Amino acid sequence: MSRLPKVPPDFLWGVATSAYQSEGGYNGPAQPRTNWADAEERGKVMKTGAAVDFWTRFRGDFGRCREMGLKAFRLGIEWSRVQPARDIFDEAALERYVEMLAACREHGLEPVVTLHHFVHPAWLGADAWLEEATPELFGRYVERAVAWVSKGLTRRGLAPIRFYITINEPNMLVLNTYVGTQFPSQAGTGYRSVIRAFDHLLTAHVLAYEAIHSLYERENWPPPKVTQNNYCSDVYWADKVLLDLLALRERGVERGKVRPYVIKKAREFEAALKEARLPLHRDPAYWIGTLFKIFMNRIGYRWFTGRPLRRTLDAIYASARPRLFDYLGLDYYDPFAAHVFRWPVWSDHEFTDRAVRSRIMNTVTSKWWDWRVLPRGLHFFCAYYSADFADREVLIAENGMAIRRRPDNEVTHRRDGLTRSEFLRLHVHEVQKIVGAGVPLIGYLHWSLFDNYEWGSYTPRFGLFSIDYTDGSERIPIDPLGDRPSETYAALIREAL
Protein backbone atom coordinates (compact mmCIF):
# COMPACT_ATOMS: atom_id res chain seq x y z
CA MET A 1 0.00 0.00 0.00
CA SER A 2 2.87 2.38 0.75
CA ARG A 3 3.93 2.15 -2.89
CA LEU A 4 0.69 3.58 -4.19
CA PRO A 5 0.91 7.17 -5.44
CA LYS A 6 -0.63 9.86 -3.27
CA VAL A 7 -3.33 12.19 -4.57
CA PRO A 8 -3.25 16.01 -4.25
CA PRO A 9 -4.80 17.49 -1.10
CA ASP A 10 -7.50 19.23 -3.18
CA PHE A 11 -8.59 15.99 -4.86
CA LEU A 12 -12.41 15.77 -4.87
CA TRP A 13 -13.17 12.63 -2.89
CA GLY A 14 -16.93 12.49 -2.65
CA VAL A 15 -20.26 10.83 -3.23
CA ALA A 16 -22.93 11.13 -5.90
CA THR A 17 -26.71 11.31 -5.52
CA SER A 18 -29.67 12.37 -7.64
CA ALA A 19 -32.62 14.51 -6.60
CA TYR A 20 -35.45 12.18 -7.67
CA GLN A 21 -33.80 9.10 -6.19
CA SER A 22 -33.12 10.60 -2.78
CA GLU A 23 -35.25 13.66 -1.96
CA GLY A 24 -38.66 12.02 -1.64
CA GLY A 25 -41.93 13.85 -2.17
CA TYR A 26 -42.70 13.14 -5.82
CA ASN A 27 -45.78 11.81 -7.63
CA GLY A 28 -48.10 11.84 -4.62
CA PRO A 29 -51.13 14.11 -4.01
CA ALA A 30 -50.15 17.81 -4.28
CA GLN A 31 -46.55 16.81 -5.04
CA PRO A 32 -44.46 17.49 -8.16
CA ARG A 33 -45.16 14.89 -10.84
CA THR A 34 -42.54 13.31 -13.05
CA ASN A 35 -42.79 11.15 -16.16
CA TRP A 36 -42.55 8.13 -13.82
CA ALA A 37 -45.82 8.99 -12.04
CA ASP A 38 -48.03 6.90 -14.31
CA ALA A 39 -45.79 3.82 -14.02
CA GLU A 40 -45.87 4.17 -10.22
CA GLU A 41 -49.65 4.51 -10.12
CA ARG A 42 -50.15 1.48 -12.38
CA GLY A 43 -47.85 -0.65 -10.21
CA LYS A 44 -45.34 -1.21 -12.99
CA VAL A 45 -42.57 0.05 -10.68
CA MET A 46 -42.19 0.62 -6.97
CA LYS A 47 -43.23 4.06 -5.72
CA THR A 48 -40.47 6.47 -4.78
CA GLY A 49 -42.43 7.62 -1.74
CA ALA A 50 -40.26 9.41 0.81
CA ALA A 51 -37.08 7.83 -0.63
CA VAL A 52 -34.30 8.67 1.87
CA ASP A 53 -35.91 12.05 2.70
CA PHE A 54 -32.84 13.99 1.62
CA TRP A 55 -35.07 17.03 1.05
CA THR A 56 -35.28 17.56 4.83
CA ARG A 57 -32.24 15.58 6.05
CA PHE A 58 -29.50 17.03 3.85
CA ARG A 59 -27.63 18.76 6.67
CA GLY A 60 -27.12 15.53 8.55
CA ASP A 61 -25.94 13.84 5.36
CA PHE A 62 -23.44 16.62 4.64
CA GLY A 63 -22.21 16.20 8.20
CA ARG A 64 -21.62 12.50 7.61
CA CYS A 65 -19.60 13.35 4.52
CA ARG A 66 -17.47 15.85 6.42
CA GLU A 67 -16.79 13.25 9.11
CA MET A 68 -15.57 10.85 6.39
CA GLY A 69 -13.14 13.49 5.08
CA LEU A 70 -15.00 14.02 1.79
CA LYS A 71 -14.46 17.10 -0.34
CA ALA A 72 -17.33 16.93 -2.87
CA PHE A 73 -21.01 16.06 -3.07
CA ARG A 74 -22.91 15.52 -6.32
CA LEU A 75 -26.57 16.48 -5.99
CA GLY A 76 -29.36 17.43 -8.34
CA ILE A 77 -31.74 20.28 -9.01
CA GLU A 78 -34.91 18.51 -10.12
CA TRP A 79 -36.70 20.09 -13.09
CA SER A 80 -40.04 18.59 -12.02
CA ARG A 81 -39.84 20.32 -8.64
CA VAL A 82 -38.56 23.66 -9.96
CA GLN A 83 -41.08 23.88 -12.83
CA PRO A 84 -44.14 21.86 -11.82
CA ALA A 85 -46.21 23.37 -14.66
CA ARG A 86 -45.29 24.94 -17.99
CA ASP A 87 -45.81 28.52 -16.81
CA ILE A 88 -44.90 28.08 -13.14
CA PHE A 89 -41.48 28.21 -11.50
CA ASP A 90 -41.61 27.29 -7.83
CA GLU A 91 -39.53 29.98 -6.12
CA ALA A 92 -39.84 28.27 -2.73
CA ALA A 93 -38.29 25.13 -4.20
CA LEU A 94 -35.49 27.18 -5.77
CA GLU A 95 -34.81 28.83 -2.40
CA ARG A 96 -34.68 25.40 -0.80
CA TYR A 97 -31.99 24.41 -3.29
CA VAL A 98 -30.06 27.58 -2.40
CA GLU A 99 -30.27 26.56 1.26
CA MET A 100 -29.14 23.04 0.39
CA LEU A 101 -26.18 24.21 -1.70
CA ALA A 102 -25.15 26.73 0.96
CA ALA A 103 -25.19 23.97 3.58
CA CYS A 104 -23.11 21.80 1.27
CA ARG A 105 -20.47 24.54 1.02
CA GLU A 106 -20.60 25.26 4.74
CA HIS A 107 -19.73 21.61 5.41
CA GLY A 108 -16.59 21.94 3.27
CA LEU A 109 -18.05 20.08 0.27
CA GLU A 110 -17.72 21.21 -3.36
CA PRO A 111 -21.16 20.81 -4.94
CA VAL A 112 -21.36 19.12 -8.33
CA VAL A 113 -24.82 20.06 -9.61
CA THR A 114 -26.80 17.87 -12.01
CA LEU A 115 -29.60 19.65 -13.87
CA HIS A 116 -31.34 16.62 -15.41
CA HIS A 117 -31.08 13.10 -14.02
CA PHE A 118 -33.29 10.85 -16.20
CA VAL A 119 -36.67 12.34 -15.22
CA HIS A 120 -38.65 15.30 -16.54
CA PRO A 121 -41.88 17.06 -15.50
CA ALA A 122 -45.03 15.10 -16.26
CA TRP A 123 -46.54 18.08 -18.09
CA LEU A 124 -43.99 17.53 -20.87
CA GLY A 125 -45.58 14.16 -21.65
CA ALA A 126 -44.23 10.63 -21.52
CA ASP A 127 -41.72 11.08 -24.36
CA ALA A 128 -40.46 14.63 -23.93
CA TRP A 129 -37.18 14.00 -25.73
CA LEU A 130 -39.01 13.11 -28.93
CA GLU A 131 -40.63 16.57 -29.00
CA GLU A 132 -39.15 19.49 -30.93
CA ALA A 133 -39.84 22.02 -28.17
CA THR A 134 -38.06 20.20 -25.32
CA PRO A 135 -34.45 21.39 -25.87
CA GLU A 136 -35.51 25.05 -25.71
CA LEU A 137 -37.75 24.42 -22.70
CA PHE A 138 -34.85 22.70 -20.96
CA GLY A 139 -32.55 25.60 -21.81
CA ARG A 140 -34.98 28.09 -20.25
CA TYR A 141 -35.32 25.98 -17.11
CA VAL A 142 -31.53 25.74 -16.81
CA GLU A 143 -31.07 29.49 -17.22
CA ARG A 144 -33.71 30.25 -14.58
CA ALA A 145 -32.54 27.64 -12.06
CA VAL A 146 -28.81 28.30 -12.39
CA ALA A 147 -29.28 32.08 -12.13
CA TRP A 148 -31.48 31.72 -9.06
CA VAL A 149 -29.26 29.36 -7.07
CA SER A 150 -25.94 30.97 -7.92
CA LYS A 151 -27.22 34.48 -7.19
CA GLY A 152 -28.68 33.13 -3.97
CA LEU A 153 -25.26 31.79 -2.99
CA THR A 154 -23.48 35.05 -3.80
CA ARG A 155 -26.02 36.97 -1.69
CA ARG A 156 -24.92 34.75 1.20
CA GLY A 157 -21.28 35.59 0.56
CA LEU A 158 -20.57 32.21 -1.07
CA ALA A 159 -19.11 31.53 -4.50
CA PRO A 160 -21.46 30.54 -7.34
CA ILE A 161 -21.58 26.89 -8.37
CA ARG A 162 -18.36 25.76 -10.03
CA PHE A 163 -19.20 22.30 -11.44
CA TYR A 164 -22.28 21.44 -13.50
CA ILE A 165 -23.52 18.31 -15.21
CA THR A 166 -26.26 19.31 -17.64
CA ILE A 167 -27.73 15.90 -18.47
CA ASN A 168 -26.93 12.68 -16.67
CA GLU A 169 -26.11 9.69 -18.88
CA PRO A 170 -28.01 10.70 -22.02
CA ASN A 171 -26.81 7.44 -23.56
CA MET A 172 -28.51 5.31 -20.90
CA LEU A 173 -31.63 7.49 -20.91
CA VAL A 174 -32.09 6.76 -24.62
CA LEU A 175 -31.08 3.09 -24.54
CA ASN A 176 -33.20 2.27 -21.48
CA THR A 177 -36.22 3.96 -23.04
CA TYR A 178 -36.09 3.21 -26.76
CA VAL A 179 -33.98 0.03 -26.97
CA GLY A 180 -34.81 -1.60 -23.65
CA THR A 181 -38.04 -0.92 -21.78
CA GLN A 182 -36.67 -0.14 -18.34
CA PHE A 183 -37.77 3.52 -18.47
CA PRO A 184 -41.37 4.61 -19.12
CA SER A 185 -42.46 5.50 -22.65
CA GLN A 186 -45.58 5.51 -24.79
CA ALA A 187 -43.71 5.63 -28.09
CA GLY A 188 -42.25 2.13 -28.03
CA THR A 189 -38.77 1.12 -29.09
CA GLY A 190 -37.12 1.69 -32.44
CA TYR A 191 -34.40 3.31 -34.48
CA ARG A 192 -36.26 6.54 -35.25
CA SER A 193 -37.01 7.18 -31.59
CA VAL A 194 -33.38 6.49 -30.64
CA ILE A 195 -31.88 8.95 -33.08
CA ARG A 196 -34.53 11.61 -32.41
CA ALA A 197 -34.02 11.43 -28.66
CA PHE A 198 -30.23 11.61 -29.01
CA ASP A 199 -30.63 14.59 -31.34
CA HIS A 200 -32.74 16.51 -28.84
CA LEU A 201 -30.67 15.59 -25.79
CA LEU A 202 -27.40 16.72 -27.37
CA THR A 203 -29.07 19.91 -28.58
CA ALA A 204 -30.35 20.52 -25.05
CA HIS A 205 -26.84 20.12 -23.67
CA VAL A 206 -25.45 22.66 -26.12
CA LEU A 207 -28.18 25.18 -25.23
CA ALA A 208 -27.65 24.62 -21.50
CA TYR A 209 -23.87 24.91 -21.84
CA GLU A 210 -24.24 28.24 -23.64
CA ALA A 211 -26.82 29.53 -21.16
CA ILE A 212 -24.63 28.78 -18.12
CA HIS A 213 -21.47 30.27 -19.59
CA SER A 214 -23.31 33.37 -20.83
CA LEU A 215 -24.84 33.94 -17.40
CA TYR A 216 -21.46 33.69 -15.67
CA GLU A 217 -19.92 36.13 -18.14
CA ARG A 218 -22.74 38.65 -17.60
CA GLU A 219 -22.35 38.39 -13.82
CA ASN A 220 -18.55 38.55 -14.02
CA TRP A 221 -18.24 35.30 -12.08
CA PRO A 222 -15.28 32.91 -12.50
CA PRO A 223 -15.86 30.59 -15.50
CA PRO A 224 -17.84 27.47 -14.55
CA LYS A 225 -16.96 23.92 -15.51
CA VAL A 226 -19.86 22.39 -17.45
CA THR A 227 -20.22 18.95 -18.99
CA GLN A 228 -22.59 16.06 -19.52
CA ASN A 229 -21.65 12.68 -18.08
CA ASN A 230 -21.88 9.45 -20.05
CA TYR A 231 -22.19 5.90 -18.78
CA CYS A 232 -18.91 4.37 -20.00
CA SER A 233 -19.38 1.69 -22.65
CA ASP A 234 -17.01 -0.33 -24.81
CA VAL A 235 -19.54 0.09 -27.64
CA TYR A 236 -18.29 3.28 -29.30
CA TRP A 237 -21.74 4.16 -30.63
CA ALA A 238 -23.28 3.93 -27.16
CA ASP A 239 -20.90 6.35 -25.47
CA LYS A 240 -17.86 8.06 -26.95
CA VAL A 241 -19.51 9.10 -30.20
CA LEU A 242 -21.55 11.66 -28.23
CA LEU A 243 -18.39 13.38 -26.98
CA ASP A 244 -16.73 13.20 -30.39
CA LEU A 245 -19.74 14.98 -31.87
CA LEU A 246 -19.62 17.72 -29.24
CA ALA A 247 -15.91 18.19 -30.09
CA LEU A 248 -16.51 18.71 -33.84
CA ARG A 249 -15.86 22.45 -33.84
CA GLU A 250 -12.85 22.44 -31.56
CA ARG A 251 -11.30 19.75 -33.76
CA GLY A 252 -11.97 21.72 -36.93
CA VAL A 253 -14.23 19.10 -38.54
CA GLU A 254 -16.30 20.53 -41.36
CA ARG A 255 -20.00 19.72 -41.33
CA GLY A 256 -19.81 17.76 -44.56
CA LYS A 257 -17.13 15.49 -43.11
CA VAL A 258 -18.84 14.35 -39.91
CA ARG A 259 -19.52 10.81 -41.17
CA PRO A 260 -15.90 9.87 -42.02
CA TYR A 261 -14.76 11.59 -38.83
CA VAL A 262 -16.90 9.47 -36.49
CA ILE A 263 -16.02 6.30 -38.42
CA LYS A 264 -12.33 7.13 -37.93
CA LYS A 265 -12.87 7.79 -34.20
CA ALA A 266 -14.73 4.49 -33.84
CA ARG A 267 -11.79 2.59 -35.36
CA GLU A 268 -9.32 4.38 -33.10
CA PHE A 269 -11.40 3.48 -30.06
CA GLU A 270 -11.63 -0.20 -30.99
CA ALA A 271 -7.87 -0.30 -31.61
CA ALA A 272 -7.18 1.23 -28.21
CA LEU A 273 -9.49 -1.28 -26.49
CA LYS A 274 -7.74 -4.16 -28.22
CA GLU A 275 -4.33 -2.85 -27.23
CA ALA A 276 -5.43 -2.45 -23.60
CA ARG A 277 -6.09 -6.23 -23.30
CA LEU A 278 -8.56 -5.79 -20.48
CA PRO A 279 -9.20 -9.12 -18.69
CA LEU A 280 -12.94 -9.47 -19.23
CA HIS A 281 -14.84 -12.03 -17.17
CA ARG A 282 -15.25 -15.05 -19.46
CA ASP A 283 -18.17 -16.73 -17.77
CA PRO A 284 -20.63 -18.92 -19.73
CA ALA A 285 -22.59 -15.96 -21.14
CA TYR A 286 -19.45 -14.16 -22.40
CA TRP A 287 -19.78 -15.24 -26.01
CA ILE A 288 -23.43 -14.20 -26.20
CA GLY A 289 -22.39 -10.75 -24.99
CA THR A 290 -19.56 -10.63 -27.51
CA LEU A 291 -22.01 -11.30 -30.34
CA PHE A 292 -24.27 -8.65 -28.85
CA LYS A 293 -21.44 -6.10 -29.08
CA ILE A 294 -20.95 -6.89 -32.77
CA PHE A 295 -24.67 -6.38 -33.31
CA MET A 296 -24.70 -3.10 -31.32
CA ASN A 297 -21.73 -1.75 -33.28
CA ARG A 298 -23.57 -2.38 -36.55
CA ILE A 299 -26.76 -0.79 -35.25
CA GLY A 300 -24.86 2.15 -33.79
CA TYR A 301 -23.06 2.74 -37.06
CA ARG A 302 -26.45 3.00 -38.72
CA TRP A 303 -27.79 5.34 -36.03
CA PHE A 304 -25.03 7.90 -36.28
CA THR A 305 -24.07 7.70 -39.96
CA GLY A 306 -27.29 6.76 -41.73
CA ARG A 307 -29.44 9.57 -40.34
CA PRO A 308 -27.68 12.80 -39.32
CA LEU A 309 -28.43 14.50 -36.03
CA ARG A 310 -29.70 17.63 -37.76
CA ARG A 311 -30.62 19.76 -34.75
CA THR A 312 -27.48 18.81 -32.85
CA LEU A 313 -25.26 19.73 -35.78
CA ASP A 314 -27.19 22.98 -36.29
CA ALA A 315 -26.63 23.89 -32.63
CA ILE A 316 -22.96 22.91 -32.65
CA TYR A 317 -22.06 24.80 -35.80
CA ALA A 318 -24.16 27.84 -34.87
CA SER A 319 -22.62 28.12 -31.41
CA ALA A 320 -20.16 30.92 -30.70
CA ARG A 321 -18.36 28.44 -28.43
CA PRO A 322 -16.31 25.78 -30.22
CA ARG A 323 -15.65 24.06 -26.87
CA LEU A 324 -18.87 22.47 -25.62
CA PHE A 325 -17.77 20.52 -22.54
CA ASP A 326 -15.17 21.69 -20.03
CA TYR A 327 -14.23 18.44 -18.35
CA LEU A 328 -14.99 14.74 -18.72
CA GLY A 329 -17.62 13.30 -16.41
CA LEU A 330 -17.39 9.51 -16.52
CA ASP A 331 -19.76 7.02 -14.87
CA TYR A 332 -18.01 3.68 -14.54
CA TYR A 333 -19.84 0.50 -13.55
CA ASP A 334 -19.60 -2.53 -15.87
CA PRO A 335 -19.17 -1.00 -19.33
CA PHE A 336 -18.45 -4.17 -21.29
CA ALA A 337 -21.02 -5.58 -23.68
CA ALA A 338 -19.59 -9.06 -23.20
CA HIS A 339 -20.95 -8.92 -19.64
CA VAL A 340 -24.51 -7.91 -20.56
CA PHE A 341 -25.98 -11.41 -20.37
CA ARG A 342 -26.20 -14.13 -17.72
CA TRP A 343 -27.75 -17.56 -17.55
CA PRO A 344 -31.48 -17.19 -16.90
CA VAL A 345 -32.50 -16.24 -13.36
CA TRP A 346 -36.26 -16.40 -12.86
CA SER A 347 -36.42 -14.93 -9.36
CA ASP A 348 -35.57 -11.30 -10.14
CA HIS A 349 -39.00 -10.14 -11.27
CA GLU A 350 -40.50 -7.36 -9.17
CA PHE A 351 -42.74 -5.56 -11.61
CA THR A 352 -46.12 -6.32 -13.14
CA ASP A 353 -45.17 -5.93 -16.79
CA ARG A 354 -46.41 -9.13 -18.43
CA ALA A 355 -44.98 -8.53 -21.89
CA VAL A 356 -43.18 -11.67 -23.01
CA ARG A 357 -40.15 -9.78 -24.31
CA SER A 358 -39.73 -7.92 -21.02
CA ARG A 359 -39.95 -11.13 -18.99
CA ILE A 360 -37.35 -12.83 -21.17
CA MET A 361 -34.96 -9.86 -21.08
CA ASN A 362 -35.27 -9.60 -17.30
CA THR A 363 -34.19 -13.20 -16.88
CA VAL A 364 -31.16 -13.20 -19.20
CA THR A 365 -29.67 -9.73 -18.79
CA SER A 366 -27.33 -8.84 -15.94
CA LYS A 367 -28.84 -6.89 -13.07
CA TRP A 368 -27.11 -4.31 -10.90
CA TRP A 369 -25.83 -6.99 -8.48
CA ASP A 370 -24.52 -9.08 -11.41
CA TRP A 371 -22.27 -6.34 -12.80
CA ARG A 372 -18.68 -7.53 -12.98
CA VAL A 373 -15.87 -5.65 -11.26
CA LEU A 374 -12.87 -4.60 -13.35
CA PRO A 375 -10.90 -1.62 -11.94
CA ARG A 376 -8.39 -1.70 -14.80
CA GLY A 377 -11.21 -0.68 -17.11
CA LEU A 378 -11.65 2.50 -15.08
CA HIS A 379 -8.00 3.30 -15.74
CA PHE A 380 -8.46 2.73 -19.47
CA PHE A 381 -11.47 5.01 -19.86
CA CYS A 382 -9.99 7.84 -17.78
CA ALA A 383 -6.63 7.76 -19.53
CA TYR A 384 -7.86 7.23 -23.10
CA TYR A 385 -10.68 9.77 -23.00
CA SER A 386 -8.55 12.45 -21.37
CA ALA A 387 -5.71 12.00 -23.85
CA ASP A 388 -8.07 11.99 -26.83
CA PHE A 389 -9.70 15.25 -25.71
CA ALA A 390 -6.55 17.32 -25.31
CA ASP A 391 -5.73 16.16 -21.78
CA ARG A 392 -9.03 17.36 -20.35
CA GLU A 393 -9.59 16.98 -16.64
CA VAL A 394 -11.59 13.91 -15.63
CA LEU A 395 -14.14 13.56 -12.86
CA ILE A 396 -15.33 10.06 -12.03
CA ALA A 397 -18.91 11.21 -11.55
CA GLU A 398 -20.23 7.79 -10.49
CA ASN A 399 -18.72 4.45 -9.50
CA GLY A 400 -20.34 1.91 -7.23
CA MET A 401 -21.40 -1.66 -6.55
CA ALA A 402 -24.81 -3.09 -5.74
CA ILE A 403 -25.87 -5.80 -3.37
CA ARG A 404 -29.36 -7.28 -3.63
CA ARG A 405 -31.70 -6.53 -0.71
CA ARG A 406 -35.42 -6.74 -1.25
CA PRO A 407 -37.81 -4.34 0.55
CA ASP A 408 -38.68 -7.18 2.96
CA ASN A 409 -34.96 -7.21 3.88
CA GLU A 410 -34.12 -10.53 2.20
CA VAL A 411 -30.42 -10.19 1.32
CA THR A 412 -28.48 -12.13 -1.30
CA HIS A 413 -24.69 -12.28 -1.51
CA ARG A 414 -23.16 -11.23 -4.80
CA ARG A 415 -22.07 -14.14 -6.93
CA ASP A 416 -18.46 -12.85 -6.83
CA GLY A 417 -18.65 -12.64 -3.02
CA LEU A 418 -17.37 -9.05 -3.03
CA THR A 419 -18.23 -6.66 -0.21
CA ARG A 420 -18.53 -2.91 -0.73
CA SER A 421 -15.40 -2.32 1.34
CA GLU A 422 -13.43 -4.63 -0.94
CA PHE A 423 -14.89 -2.86 -3.97
CA LEU A 424 -13.89 0.52 -2.55
CA ARG A 425 -10.38 -0.67 -1.81
CA LEU A 426 -9.90 -1.92 -5.38
CA HIS A 427 -11.19 1.29 -6.96
CA VAL A 428 -9.59 3.84 -4.63
CA HIS A 429 -6.26 2.14 -5.20
CA GLU A 430 -6.90 2.27 -8.96
CA VAL A 431 -7.67 5.98 -8.65
CA GLN A 432 -4.28 6.47 -7.02
CA LYS A 433 -2.64 4.59 -9.89
CA ILE A 434 -4.48 6.74 -12.43
CA VAL A 435 -3.27 9.93 -10.73
CA GLY A 436 0.23 8.50 -10.51
CA ALA A 437 0.19 7.79 -14.25
CA GLY A 438 -0.27 11.50 -14.95
CA VAL A 439 -3.93 11.45 -15.94
CA PRO A 440 -5.55 14.78 -14.91
CA LEU A 441 -8.09 13.11 -12.65
CA ILE A 442 -9.64 15.68 -10.30
CA GLY A 443 -12.11 13.61 -8.31
CA TYR A 444 -13.86 10.35 -7.52
CA LEU A 445 -17.56 10.30 -6.52
CA HIS A 446 -18.89 7.06 -5.11
CA TRP A 447 -22.47 6.09 -5.93
CA SER A 448 -24.00 6.54 -3.47
CA LEU A 449 -24.00 7.94 0.05
CA PHE A 450 -27.06 5.89 1.00
CA ASP A 451 -29.28 3.14 -0.36
CA ASN A 452 -31.75 4.94 -2.58
CA TYR A 453 -34.39 4.43 -5.24
CA GLU A 454 -32.91 2.80 -8.34
CA TRP A 455 -35.33 3.47 -11.21
CA GLY A 456 -38.33 1.39 -10.30
CA SER A 457 -36.85 -0.58 -7.43
CA TYR A 458 -35.44 -0.40 -3.92
CA THR A 459 -33.77 -3.81 -4.27
CA PRO A 460 -30.35 -2.72 -5.66
CA ARG A 461 -28.39 -1.24 -2.74
CA PHE A 462 -25.41 1.02 -3.51
CA GLY A 463 -25.07 2.95 -0.24
CA LEU A 464 -22.14 3.63 2.03
CA PHE A 465 -24.95 3.86 4.59
CA SER A 466 -27.69 1.23 4.57
CA ILE A 467 -31.40 1.99 4.84
CA ASP A 468 -33.92 -0.41 6.34
CA TYR A 469 -37.03 0.71 4.48
CA THR A 470 -39.30 -1.34 6.76
CA ASP A 471 -38.33 1.02 9.58
CA GLY A 472 -37.94 4.57 8.24
CA SER A 473 -34.89 6.06 6.56
CA GLU A 474 -32.23 6.07 9.26
CA ARG A 475 -28.67 5.93 7.92
CA ILE A 476 -27.05 2.74 9.20
CA PRO A 477 -23.22 2.47 8.99
CA ILE A 478 -23.22 -1.34 8.95
CA ASP A 479 -24.84 -3.16 6.03
CA PRO A 480 -26.81 -6.46 6.21
CA LEU A 481 -23.65 -8.43 5.39
CA GLY A 482 -21.77 -6.95 8.34
CA ASP A 483 -19.66 -4.55 6.27
CA ARG A 484 -18.87 -0.96 7.25
CA PRO A 485 -18.13 0.73 3.91
CA SER A 486 -18.32 4.36 5.08
CA GLU A 487 -15.54 3.67 7.57
CA THR A 488 -13.51 1.90 4.88
CA TYR A 489 -13.90 4.81 2.48
CA ALA A 490 -12.80 7.30 5.14
CA ALA A 491 -9.71 5.22 5.98
CA LEU A 492 -8.77 4.81 2.31
CA ILE A 493 -9.01 8.58 1.77
CA ARG A 494 -6.71 9.24 4.71
CA GLU A 495 -4.19 6.73 3.33
CA ALA A 496 -4.32 8.25 -0.17
CA LEU A 497 -3.46 11.80 0.91
Side-chain angles (χ1 to χ4, degrees):
M1 185 174 297
S2 61
R3 297 180 182 178
L4 288 168
K6 300 294 185 180
V7 302
D10 60 350
F11 189 83
L12 296 176
W13 294 110
V15 289
T17 66
S18 93
Y20 183 61
Q21 292 174 264
S22 62
E23 287 178 356
Y26 290 97
N27 300 333
Q31 293 178 341
R33 290 177 64 82
T34 75
N35 59 306
W36 284 72
D38 183 67
E40 289 188 15
E41 289 166 358
R42 292 173 178 268
K44 291 181 177 293
V45 298
M46 294 179 186
K47 293 185 177 182
T48 53
V52 296
D53 195 21
F54 182 68
W55 189 245
T56 63
R57 301 186 61 172
F58 57 85
R59 286 187 180 83
D61 289 325
F62 294 152
R64 291 178 182 87
C65 292
R66 181 170 58 187
E67 290 170 5
M68 282 190 283
L70 303 188
K71 297 289 187 182
F73 195 105
R74 180 180 168 197
L75 68 163
I77 295 175
E78 176 49 52
W79 189 3
S80 308
R81 193 185 288 279
V82 168
Q83 194 177 4
R86 181 180 291 269
D87 299 318
I88 296 174
F89 281 86
D90 188 333
E91 295 182 352
L94 284 165
E95 273 305 303
R96 183 65 163 181
Y97 281 120
V98 174
E99 184 181 353
M100 191 181 291
L101 290 162
C104 186
R105 279 264 170 75
E106 290 159 3
H107 282 81
L109 301 167
E110 183 73 43
V112 179
V113 175
T114 309
L115 296 165
H116 183 281
H117 203 122
F118 286 160
V119 299
H120 58 259
W123 57 263
L124 278 167
D127 295 282
W129 294 109
L130 301 184
E131 301 298 328
E132 289 282 335
T134 303
E136 284 75 17
L137 290 169
F138 178 71
R140 288 200 285 272
Y141 144 70
V142 166
E143 189 167 21
R144 182 74 173 265
V146 168
W148 190 287
V149 298
S150 280
K151 287 179 181 179
L153 289 173
T154 60
R155 284 195 299 270
R156 293 172 179 238
L158 300 169
I161 300 301
R162 182 182 173 202
F163 289 96
Y164 291 97
I165 292 172
T166 58
I167 299 173
N168 175 75
E169 296 181 6
N171 51 346
M172 295 312 293
L173 173 55
V174 173
L175 297 176
N176 283 343
T177 308
Y178 300 115
V179 177
T181 57
Q182 297 94 323
F183 289 4
S185 167
Q186 294 178 1
T189 58
Y191 157 67
R192 291 183 182 276
S193 294
V194 166
I195 204 67
R196 189 174 180 85
F198 270 129
D199 198 11
H200 291 159
L201 282 160
L202 287 174
T203 302
H205 165 76
V206 174
L207 296 178
Y209 182 92
E210 291 178 325
I212 296 169
H213 274 276
S214 295
L215 169 68
Y216 275 56
E217 288 166 1
R218 290 195 303 272
E219 298 293 332
N220 199 28
W221 293 334
K225 294 179 180 290
V226 185
T227 196
Q228 64 168 39
N229 62 315
N230 282 357
Y231 183 106
C232 289
S233 173
D234 70 339
V235 177
Y236 172 81
W237 307 100
D239 171 19
K240 189 170 181 291
V241 66
L242 306 183
L243 296 169
D244 284 330
L245 288 170
L246 291 174
L248 285 167
R249 288 273 308 290
E250 67 177 275
R251 286 173 166 169
V253 179
E254 298 175 10
R255 183 158 182 168
K257 297 182 178 179
V258 172
R259 184 175 183 274
Y261 159 77
V262 294
I263 292 172
K264 173 178 175 288
K265 299 306 294 183
R267 289 172 178 163
E268 289 176 357
F269 179 69
E270 283 298 324
L273 268 175
K274 184 176 180 180
E275 183 180 353
R277 299 178 182 276
L278 297 173
L280 303 185
H281 294 259
R282 293 177 178 260
D283 53 25
Y286 170 86
W287 296 109
I288 302 172
T290 301
L291 292 173
F292 174 73
K293 180 179 178 180
I294 294 171
F295 171 75
M296 285 299 296
N297 271 325
R298 289 181 178 176
I299 294 296
Y301 173 88
R302 179 188 173 193
W303 286 345
F304 289 100
T305 63
R307 183 182 178 91
L309 301 174
R310 177 186 57 80
R311 293 195 67 191
T312 297
L313 296 180
D314 285 348
I316 289 170
Y317 284 99
S319 175
R321 304 177 190 277
R323 186 181 175 101
L324 292 172
F325 59 100
D326 301 317
Y327 66 101
L328 290 158
L330 304 183
D331 291 3
Y332 183 83
Y333 293 97
D334 183 355
F336 303 103
H339 298 162
V340 166
F341 293 96
R342 62 179 181 180
W343 287 126
V345 177
W346 301 97
S347 61
D348 280 342
H349 296 298
E350 295 179 329
F351 312 135
T352 60
D353 189 345
R354 298 185 181 276
V356 172
R357 186 179 74 161
S358 295
R359 292 205 308 272
I360 292 173
M361 292 304 293
N362 271 325
T363 61
V364 300
T365 54
S366 296
K367 297 296 176 285
W368 299 272
W369 45 84
D370 294 314
W371 290 348
R372 284 69 158 187
V373 173
L374 186 57
R376 275 180 54 189
L378 178 64
H379 199 138
F380 167 79
F381 281 95
C382 289
Y384 181 74
Y385 280 35
S386 178
D388 196 47
F389 292 104
D391 292 324
R392 262 185 180 82
E393 292 178 330
V394 179
L395 174 68
I396 299 169
E398 290 183 27
N399 173 244
M401 184 200 84
I403 61 173
R404 182 174 177 267
R405 181 183 185 185
R406 291 188 183 276
D408 62 4
N409 283 331
E410 177 194 341
V411 181
T412 306
H413 286 267
R414 288 174 56 91
R415 61 180 177 178
D416 58 14
L418 209 62
T419 66
R420 200 176 317 283
S421 284
E422 291 167 335
F423 176 92
L424 281 162
R425 192 168 292 108
L426 288 170
H427 287 80
V428 169
H429 288 173
E430 197 66 43
V431 163
Q432 292 176 253
K433 295 173 187 176
I434 294 168
V435 171
V439 177
L441 181 63
I442 60 172
Y444 170 88
L445 307 182
H446 180 268
W447 183 273
S448 180
L449 177 64
F450 29 51
D451 292 341
N452 50 219
Y453 185 72
E454 286 292 341
W455 309 113
S457 175
Y458 278 103
T459 295
R461 303 300 181 96
F462 283 91
L464 295 172
F465 288 88
S466 294
I467 307 290
D468 178 356
Y469 282 102
T470 66
D471 188 28
S473 59
E474 290 304 310
R475 283 66 164 148
I476 304 169
I478 183 168
D479 76 12
L481 302 178
D483 189 24
R484 294 179 175 270
S486 62
E487 296 175 11
T488 300
Y489 193 26
L492 289 166
I493 291 170
R494 290 193 298 269
E495 294 166 3
L497 294 173

